[in-house]
Structures are given as C-alpha cells and as structure tokens.
Amino acid sequence: MIASRGRISPAATALLLLGALYCLFPVAWVLIASTKSAEELFATFTLAPSTHLLDNIVTLSEYRGGLYWRWMANTALYAGVGGAASTLVSAMAGFALAKYAFPGKSLVFNIILAGVLVPGVILAIPQYLLLAKVGLTNTYWSVLLPSIISPYGIYLCRIFAAAAVPTDVIEAARIDGASDWGAFGRVALPMMRAGLVTVFLFQFVAIWNNFMLPFIMLGDDRLYPVTVGLNGLLNQGASQPAMYTSVVTGALLSIVPLVALFLALQRYWRVDLGAGAVKE
Amino acid sequence: MTAFPTTTRTPRTATRRSAGVPYSFLAPALLLFAAFLAAPIAYTTYLSLRRTQVTGLGLGAGSRTEVWAGLENYTRSLTDPDFLPSVYRVGAYGLIVVPTMLGLALLMALLLDAGRTRVGTFARTAIFLPYAVPAVVASLLWGFLYLPRVSPFADLLHALGITPPDVLAGSGVLWAVANIAIWGGTGFNMIVLYTALRAVPRDLYEAARLDGASDVQIAWRIKIPIVTPALIMTSVFSIIATVQVFAEPMTLRPLSNTISTTWTPLMKVYRDAFTRNDVYSAAATSVVIALATFLVSFGLLKLVGSRAFHQEDRT
C-alpha cells in the first residue's frame, strides 16, 4: 500500500473498517454458528460460540454416506477442470486473435464480443433442452461442457497475448524451427502465465457461482456441486430444523477452500475490466 | 494491433506455414461457442415460435405434434399476470443494487487510492472476500441472519426496546435480496475501480495538489472522470447480473413466504419450463429477457462510445 503524502485520515479509516465489518460479519457468523448444536442454533445468543463444531462436521459427513464430500469433490471437478479447460481454450483463441492476421478475424472477434453481453444464465434452459436431445443431461458433461466456453475469457486472453507476447519472440521461435503450436505452447503460454491465472480464477468463480446450470441439468444428487446440494439441504430444513446445523456447517466448509485460494492468489486479480488489463 | 506481417514475409516461410493455423487455434472455442451459445440461442428463438398441437385425446404417439405458433407465445408470455410484476420487481431491485453497489465500490476504491489510512490492505482483502462466497451460500448466511430467531440485529433492536421488522416478509424481501447482491458484488467492483485508479500517473494528482486542490476535489474532478470507462463496464456487467437474479431468491424461498415461484423473470422461465412443462412460453420469455439485456447493455456501451472495449487498438 502506498501511503502517499498527507496525514492519516480517521474518517477514511473508519469508513474502510465499516466496509470491512459489513463484509466479514456473515463470515464470522457462520464460523460461530457452526460451533452450535441444533438446539443452541436458535436458542443461544447469535454471537456466542459453542463447542460442537466437530460433532457438526461428523454429522454432516455421515449424512447419506458422505454425500456432502462428494458434492465438494464434484465442485472441485466442475470449477477446477472446467476452469482449466476454459482457460486453455480461451488462451488458444486469444492468441490467434492477437497474433495472426486472417480472413474473418474481426467477424470472429465481434461475435465473441457480442457473446460477452449475452446473459449466460438465460442460456441454461435452452442448453438443457439441447443436451436433453442428445441424452447428456444429468451427467458431468452437461455442467462441464457449457462452462468451458467463455467469451469474456477469450476477450481477456486476446488482450493478455497482445500485451505480454512480443511478436518478435514468436518470429524468433519460428526461425529456430518451432511450429506454430510449439511457439504457442513453449513461448507464448509461459509469457501469458500471470494473465492466464486471472482468467482461470474468473472462470473458476463463475462456474462455482453458476447455480442455475447444475440446478437444471442434474437430477441425480450424487452429481451435484456443493451449492445445489446445500440448497437442497436448506429445503429439507424447512421440515426438519435439525438439518439447519448441517446446512450452516456445510456452508462454512464450502467457503474455506475458496477463501484460502483467494488469499493465496490475491496478487493475480488484475481486474482492469475495460482497459488494457496488463500494462505493457 | 500487433499481428504477423503476413504480407511482407518471405515466400519460404509463407509456404511453410499453412493458412489454417489461426483457425486451428480458434477451432475449440468456435465449436463450443456454436454448440453452447449460438445453437441454444437459435433453438430458443425457434421454440418460442412453436407450440404443441394435441389431436384426438392427446394419447398415443403422434397425437401431440409441434406446429408453428407465430408470436402467440410472446403475447401469452408478455400478458401473463405474473410477468410484469416480476419485471417491476427486478427493475426496483436493480435500482437499489446497481447504484448502491457501484457507489460503495467507488467510495471504497477512492478511499484506498487516497492512501490516508493504515488499514488499506486489510480493508481491501476483507471487502473483496465475499466475492469468494457463491450466491447460494451468501443467501444462506444472510437468510439465517434475517431470521428473527437467529438475527443478532433483532436481539440488538429488542434490547433497545424496538420490535424488529421481519425483513423476510412483505416488501422487506426486496431489500433483503438486494443486500445479498450488494454484499457479494461490492468488493469485486471495488477492485476493478481501484485497479483503474492505480493505473493513473501519480504526478497528475501532485500537480493538482500544488494548485491547492483538496482530496475531495481531486477525486471528483480528476479521479472519477478517469475511472468512468471502468464504471461503465462495471455497470453493464452489474445490469446483466441483475437481470439474471435467480440463485439468491431461490435459496431464500424456504425461509420466506413472500418469495413466489415467479419472483423474478428468470424464476418464471424456470417455472414455465420445468413445473408447467411449457417450454415454448419459457423460450419466448427467455428471448424477451435476453433481448432486453442485450439492448440495455449495448445501448449503454454505445452511449459512451466504444471507449470501454477495443482499448488496445488505440495504440
């Protein structure tokens, strides 16, 4: 943080801390609530912690033979594999758009830009209808495949490739006998690494956050990501309030890995949306 | 734009490299784009113009056939008594969420950028953190915090002798859902705006300060105009997200009696398609929502020129 010239402003500090409090409060609540037993959840003072965290984790883990952990593994698969595949596909497309001149280039780019503005969730139902026709609904593929295409990822990759990969370097690699794919894989990809981490994080969060797609596509709850699973648990809680403890504990456990990932990779969040994204 | 100087390359290299190379790089993206964006859009549009015709008693194979319906689904969808209220609701929701979220994001970004505090890194991380929490989980957390039996706010109000309002009932729900979106989105937008602010050369402010400008004047006259393109982009993305609101109200439904199955347009699409099995009407509503979103975002971008996109082409 650059503490530029000038005094520390108590007003600025107070406002920022207020914002931080607002954002941390529900996280602090879930941390405390998941230490409470089912009876305590509604009976004791909200912010008073208890000692049942481990019991709650055990109860949640035993729920239908560890279904919750299967949801977590599914989430890792959807967001992790989907995000990685999406990043690679975007990187290839972005590289082609940034570093080659070819007929139809501006048409392709404009179509992709228009795709950025298409509300993705709107597509979930038509995607369901199409995948139902080919018998792919209620499979891992039905959630993975639609998640791989990301117009915004391609747009970002084009910017990253244009900024981070000098054309001379690609030419030099080619003169040394590298093929186009070799130049991409061995020269361009490593140069775009920081940008690709950003694209991956974007996609990871977008897939992790896309509730409607798996909610519609999947009927078998063993294929659910954790969000759809928790939503189902909460619905059960309406009739069996004891479920609420598992819902709360599940919510806490589900955000732990992502929060950890966030804190670890914070410096990769270069979200300069409109402009060049990476300074040359 | 930097592209290979294809026209000036020597004949030897030109023959070695096939013209198909850029297309092979683009192939997976274009294939997936066609399969999961273009085809669904085309298919929805097609479905929105069709309907089933039942012949006889509607039993047996061939008794239900799909026929051309013209704009019938659109009329039905737009005149559905549940449709306009859901549009108004999401409109009101957007009017609360977009300005509040972006206003807070801008304020926090400006406070961070002014650097007159020691809590900058902590505050930035804390405010960004909710972005890591998926909407379903965020709705779950806030949903419990809204429940009068759990809410610490209710306890606090009780202690002060005030009867706490039930935010999950009546018109409070709109604010309850809006708060979840604001909580989840402020940090991300703050980071976008903060990144834009950091890109500005510091000596620009130095000069203004020498002229006697205050922090507030610098923010108002220099910083905000500089981040306007980023603000427009964040607005467009926020509007797109607003139109798609689905996960939050769906998650809150078990906790609130006020949220109907057609609370937002997308929830109505979901109900029509899966509860009522009327994919045609659902398709028509989808097309209307997608067109409206597209027009609003595109209009907003046009209004400000193409300043936001195509930035790298300026060099």
Side-chain angles (χ1 to χ4, degrees), chain B residues 8-42:
Chain B
T8 55
R9 198 180 292 111
T10 58
R12 195 187 58 82
T13 12
T15 47
R16 186 174 62 84
R17 294 184 51 226
S18 101
V21 166
Y23 301 107
S24 69
F25 279 117
L26 278 165
L30 290 181
L31 216 68
L32 288 164
F33 191 98
F36 295 105
L37 257 110
I41 292 171

Side-chain angles (χ1 to χ4, degrees), chain A residues 154-179:
Chain A
I154 297 172
Y155 169 74
L156 280 184
C157 280
R158 179 193 155 147
I159 294 170
F160 290 138
V165 186
T167 305
D168 312 348
V169 177
I170 297 293
E171 280 298 357
R174 196 164 289 126
I175 288 164
D176 290 346
S179 67

Side-chain angles (χ1 to χ4, degrees), chain B residues 247-259:
Chain B
E248 293 93 343
M250 280 305 263
T251 310
L252 284 181
R253 258 175 61 76
L255 301 175
S256 164
N257 296 323
T258 315
I259 300 175

Side-chain angles (χ1 to χ4, degrees), chain A residues 178-246:
Chain A
S179 67
D180 288 83
W181 286 90
F184 170 71
R186 281 197 294 275
V187 182
L189 271 188
M191 289 179 134
M192 293 164 70
R193 193 175 47 219
L196 294 182
V197 175
T198 306
V199 173
F200 174 77
L201 286 172
F202 260 120
Q203 269 316 95
F204 188 93
V205 172
I207 299 170
W208 166 267
N209 221 336
N210 189 346
F211 169 71
M212 194 173 184
L213 184 73
F215 183 69
I216 287 176
M217 292 288 180
L218 304 172
D220 180 353
D221 62 8
R222 285 174 309 144
L223 302 181
Y224 282 180
V226 72
T227 47
V228 181
L230 284 175
N231 181 69
L233 277 190
L234 185 68
N235 274 302
Q236 286 185 36
S239 50
Q240 315 160 243
M243 284 310 284
Y244 282 148
T245 311
S246 286

